[in-house]
Amino acid sequence: MKRLFSGVINGLIEIWGHKLRSLLTICCVMLGVASMVLTTGFMEGFFKGWEVSLQEQGGLEKITGTPSSPSERQAPLAAVSRGFTPRDARALAELVPGLEIISPEIDAVRARLTRAGKSYDGRRGGRVQGVTNAAFEINRYELESGRFFSDLDFNDHASVIVIGGSVKKALFKPGENPLGEFVEMNGQPFRVVGVLKTYERLWGDFNTLYWKNDIAFVPLATMAAKVQRSDRLTGLNFKAPDVTRLRETLDAASNVLAQTHRGIIDFDVRTNEEQLASFASTKASFVIGGSAIAGVSLLVSGIGIMNLMLASINERVREIGIRKAVGATPFNIFSQFVAEAVTLSLIGGLAGVGVAVGLIQALSAMLPPGNGPLLAPSAFVVGFAFSVTAGVLAGVYPAIQAAKLDPIEALRYE
Amino acid sequence: MTAAAPEVLRLDRVGKRYPMGDTVVDALVDASFTLHEGEAVAILGPSGSGKSTLMHLLGFLDSPSSGEILFEGRPVAVITERQRAQIRAEKIGFVFQAFNLLPRLTVRANVALPLSYHGSPPADADARIARALALVDMTHRAHHRPGELSGGQRQRVAIARALVNEPRILLADEPTGNLDTKTAAAILDLFKELNRLGRTIVVVTHSPEIAGHFRRQLHVLDGRVKEGGAR
Ligand SMILES: Nc1ncnc2c1ncn2[C@@H]1O[C@H](COP(=O)(O)OP(=O)(O)O)[C@@H](O)[C@H]1O
Ligand SMILES: [Mg+2]
């Protein structure tokens, strides 16, 4: 320990002795470490954002059921099935173990919301859905004000509506309170009982969560009875009790639905797994790319350090001879030069982490929230490990050269 | 010279041959002599006669091309590089004509150098450094760098460094060659004093005057070592 400390002190003295040259080398390491920490920071930020948006879509436990065309073989019999109906939701609840959240949905076809001359026709895929309160839970919606639906709303087919942020913006003036006001859907009045939070995760100028705002909900029964005049579901989403039971829940649900649809496979159930798979594979390729950048930075700093060390050994042949003459072993000399290289790269590494922290903070101040690079604690560890590794690797060869010097040749050297 | 004193170094037909282009230079030929504890020896000879070559061999800084060197009765050839370094640090002090101090270190750090290798520094390291500096009268310059000192002062620091481990044997290769007569005389007095205190001392010089101060003289001529008149 004391050895190491005195090695570092010695290193500092040498570095001070060659200020300009050392500074250049330190810059090499600094840039290497900074670029690495920044790259990891951007990667962390990007994947954090993606992960959050996966969560916003209901997380990995979510299973989506949608109507589909039956196979050609079954097509002549298709009429036997009644398609998705609220009875499917009840059957799933009864027959699939562990299913707690089941959300039947009816999309309104070409719904148009209007109010006092303003209108919202759901550009960008915005829509009005008939749902139960399970939809809010499964899709993680939170209220900004008001309430979700009550049992009374469902039983009475009440004409009430919960609106998303974009709908509110389109139909109401800023500062106006929508609660209790009426909006019209295709001419029928609906009373606003709830306003959803506005979700925002910007990617540049683009809000990747826009779809959570471009939406309005009415009670499922109301949608069936008053708008669509049919209880055909356009979607049936549910949630596996946990990710490990995803497969088994999916299979059980498929079986139950095949049963209620009288053997006609006119539905499609799928998990978020594909999303997860593409998340994982994208992450893997980013990690490979990141490692390549790290490798190149490592190489560049390593070359810088090695160059400095070799030059300094050439200059210090005499010193090495003197040290050996007064009793230094080859290993003493070796460790001295490795310690110097490590000291050098540690200073560069610390400076690099500092620069990266500064840049990341500046960038997150400039960029809108949710899009900037994240400062992962791992970045510090990586930066530190990086510079020590570069120092050791680049220091070893010159240090061996130094240790091998013959004391007499070294002393003769002028 | 007392025959009863234990043997420190013995050379047995030692030769050193350097390749020199197509031919070879015999810098040392068949050197055979023994150094005993407590001796004071002057090595005399013209420039290029092989004195430095001999000193480097005595100090384990180089190895012979032929013959055998024994340190405390052990053949040096069988001693490992590590052990040799340890003997250099602890049992042999070497003083060079060119001082060979490390310019970036302070006087004190230069003197401390032999203590910093081979295990943790001894508990009395500070005391030893202080003693060595006091012996050469350089205590007041402990925190200066060699560049700020005169030649004589630098050589005194080099001697302090050679003495800090209280070695059995002190080897000095023309230690006064770069100094004026007065300073040289002072250094010489220091060596005599050290020898009186029991240290074995070998000093290279080409001044017969200086050599006259030593009890035993070895003459080197064209690589051959001859015993001179003992006083
Ligand atoms: N490394 C070497 N390579 C070739 N010749 C050398 C080498 N070292 C010393 N010599 C030669 O050996 C002889 C003795 O040199 P040296 O011991 O330095 O003499 P001195 O110290 O008595 O002046 C000289 O002729 C010198 O040129
Ligand atoms: Mg010489």
Side-chain angles (χ1 to χ4, degrees):
Chain A
M1 192 63 220
K2 200 165 173 185
R3 252 326 148 64
L4 187 75
F5 183 70
S6 77
V8 169
I9 294 287
N10 248 319
L12 287 175
I13 292 174
E14 273 314 315
I15 287 163
W16 194 242
H18 301 108
K19 287 180 215 55
L20 181 64
R21 207 161 62 185
S22 303
L23 196 70
L24 290 176
T25 308
I26 287 170
C27 279
C28 269
V29 183
M30 188 184 81
L31 290 179
V33 170
S35 82
M36 255 198 55
V37 174
L38 270 180
T39 311
T40 20
F42 269 109
M43 268 166 57
E44 294 274 343
F46 175 73
F47 285 106
K48 189 86 206 160
W50 193 348
E51 219 173 290
V52 168
S53 91
L54 268 183
Q55 292 293 333
E56 299 288 357
Q57 287 168 44
L60 290 173
E61 303 92 348
K62 183 175 165 184
I63 299 172
T64 316
T66 45
S68 72
S69 320
S71 68
E72 240 172 81
R73 204 164 47 79
Q74 288 189 331
L77 303 169
V80 176
S81 165
R82 291 199 50 219
F84 272 124
T85 64
R87 284 184 308 128
D88 286 327
R90 282 193 291 277
L92 286 179
E94 267 168 41
L95 297 172
V96 180
L99 272 197
E100 270 162 26
I101 313 173
I102 301 170
S103 168
E105 298 170 1
I106 302 177
D107 279 22
V109 180
R110 279 191 298 279
R112 194 177 142 82
L113 296 174
T114 51
R115 175 176 174 267
K118 295 182 174 181
S119 79
Y120 174 81
D121 48 14
R123 283 174 303 118
R124 297 199 297 193
R127 53 197 179 160
V128 182
Q129 285 188 317
V131 294
T132 63
N133 280 336
F136 300 117
E137 195 173 340
I138 205 166
N139 294 313
R140 296 181 199 231
Y141 278 105
E142 283 171 83
L143 284 169
E144 182 186 274
S145 61
R147 59 171 177 85
F148 291 131
F149 303 128
S150 66
D151 287 346
L152 223 61
D153 293 334
F154 293 112
N155 293 338
D156 292 356
H157 302 177
S159 292
V160 291
I161 190 165
V162 172
I163 59 175
S166 301
V167 179
K168 173 185 164 188
K169 219 170 135 194
L171 299 183
F172 294 89
K173 288 200 267 294
E176 203 174 354
N177 182 7
L179 291 184
E181 299 293 321
F182 282 89
V183 300
E184 287 182 359
M185 184 184 350
N186 302 340
Q188 295 183 49
F190 282 78
R191 190 162 50 86
V192 178
V193 294
V195 179
L196 299 172
K197 273 191 182 160
T198 300
Y199 294 87
E200 191 174 64
R201 175 166 291 277
L202 288 170
W203 189 256
D205 276 343
F206 180 68
N207 180 5
T208 56
L209 291 180
Y210 73 91
W211 51 273
K212 289 198 84 158
N213 305 323
D214 272 325
I215 203 151
F217 296 103
V218 300
L220 185 73
T222 314
M223 184 65 101
K226 291 190 175 164
V227 185
Q228 292 299 101
R229 308 205 193 284
S230 148
D231 65 353
R232 277 248 176 166
L233 301 184
T234 51
L236 182 54
N237 301 327
F238 44 97
K239 214 159 182 174
D242 67 79
V243 186
T244 56
R245 291 170 62 189
L246 202 54
R247 271 282 124 211
E248 115 193 23
T249 309
L250 188 73
D251 290 345
S254 297
N255 287 338
V256 170
L257 291 176
Q259 202 67 36
T260 53
H261 292 225
R262 300 189 188 150
I264 307 298
I265 310 302
D266 56 354
F267 59 88
D268 188 20
V269 283
R270 60 176 66 224
T271 62
N272 268 343
E273 256 176 322
E274 280 157 37
Q275 277 242 33
L276 179 74
S278 79
F279 177 80
S281 73
T282 310
K283 194 162 182 168
S285 56
F286 265 68
V287 166
I288 291 170
S291 312
I293 292 173
V296 171
S297 321
L298 197 80
L299 206 67
V300 170
S301 343
I303 291 171
I305 295 172
M306 198 182 286
N307 188 33
L308 177 93
M309 294 309 293
L310 286 174
S312 117
I313 284 165
N314 261 332
E315 252 175 37
R316 290 158 65 195
V317 166
R318 194 176 183 81
E319 173 196 333
I320 296 163
I322 294 170
R323 286 182 184 273
K324 283 195 161 184
V326 301
T329 61
F331 182 74
N332 291 144
I333 300 292
F334 174 83
S335 2
Q336 178 194 339
F337 280 87
V338 171
E340 268 183 49
V342 170
T343 307
L344 203 63
S345 60
L346 266 183
I347 296 175
L350 289 179
V353 170
V355 166
V357 168
L359 276 177
I360 285 176
Q361 260 157 17
L363 282 174
S364 10
M366 269 152 52
L367 295 171
N371 187 23
L374 281 182
L375 200 58
S378 65
F380 293 98
V381 181
V382 168
F384 189 77
F386 172 94
S387 45
V388 173
T389 313
V392 170
L393 288 184
V396 162
Y397 172 73
I400 289 175
Q401 298 303 105
K404 274 207 303 225
L405 276 175
D406 188 357
I408 233 13
E409 288 305 319
L411 281 174
R412 202 182 296 279
Y413 191 93
E414 305 296 340
Chain B
M1 191 172 95
T2 48
E7 169 183 319
V8 182
L9 271 166
R10 184 162 80 211
L11 275 67
D12 188 12
R13 292 198 308 280
V14 169
K16 182 71 188 179
R17 168 172 284 186
Y18 292 111
M20 188 74 161
D22 291 341
T23 61
V24 290
V25 180
D26 280 307
L28 206 64
V29 186
D30 276 348
S32 299
F33 62 90
T34 306
L35 287 178
H36 292 93
E37 176 114 62
E39 275 194 299
V41 182
I43 296 181
L44 278 145
S47 176
S49 57
K51 304 180 299 293
S52 292
T53 304
L54 177 62
M55 292 299 271
H56 293 153
L57 291 173
L58 293 178
F60 301 4
L61 292 173
D62 211 348
S63 17
S65 320
S66 59
E68 196 176 41
I69 304 177
L70 295 102
F71 181 80
E72 295 176 344
R74 266 167 82 209
V76 171
V78 305
I79 301 177
T80 64
E81 172 72 36
R82 225 196 81 78
Q83 284 173 317
R84 269 187 239 184
Q86 186 155 9
I87 294 174
R88 275 205 293 272
E90 292 168 0
K91 298 197 169 172
I92 300 177
F94 210 108
V95 181
F96 300 88
Q97 176 173 2
F99 319 138
N100 282 339
L101 298 174
L102 296 184
R104 271 199 257 288
L105 301 185
T106 61
V107 162
R108 191 179 182 287
N110 265 289
V111 172
L113 218 49
L115 299 173
S116 61
Y117 304 115
H118 309 286
S120 45
D124 62 342
D126 287 341
R128 286 199 200 187
I129 295 165
R131 233 177 4 248
L133 282 173
L135 197 60
V136 298
D137 194 19
M138 285 298 293
T139 309
H140 59 300
R141 290 280 184 267
H143 298 290
H144 289 234
R145 271 164 232 283
E148 300 156 8
L149 305 178
S150 72
Q153 286 176 321
R154 283 185 223 182
Q155 193 58 298
R156 274 160 37 204
V157 175
I159 293 169
R161 182 178 67 191
L163 291 175
V164 73
N165 258 328
E166 295 167 8
R168 288 186 73 181
I169 167 164
L170 184 68
L171 304 171
D173 190 358
E174 300 195 43
T176 56
N178 285 339
L179 306 177
D180 60 80
T181 344
K182 199 168 146 247
T183 321
I187 297 281
L188 215 64
D189 285 340
L190 180 58
F191 282 142
K192 281 195 276 185
E193 173 66 9
L194 287 169
N195 178 240
R196 204 180 54 75
L197 294 172
R199 210 133 286 156
T200 312
I201 289 183
V202 181
V203 177
V204 170
T205 173
H206 27 223
S207 145
E209 222 253 77
I210 289 175
H213 290 274
F214 290 80
R215 274 182 303 225
R216 183 182 175 192
Q217 286 137 31
L218 293 172
H219 293 274
V220 186
L221 197 62
D222 286 339
R224 286 169 206 281
V225 182
K226 266 194 331 196
E227 202 76 43
R231 241 178 16 149

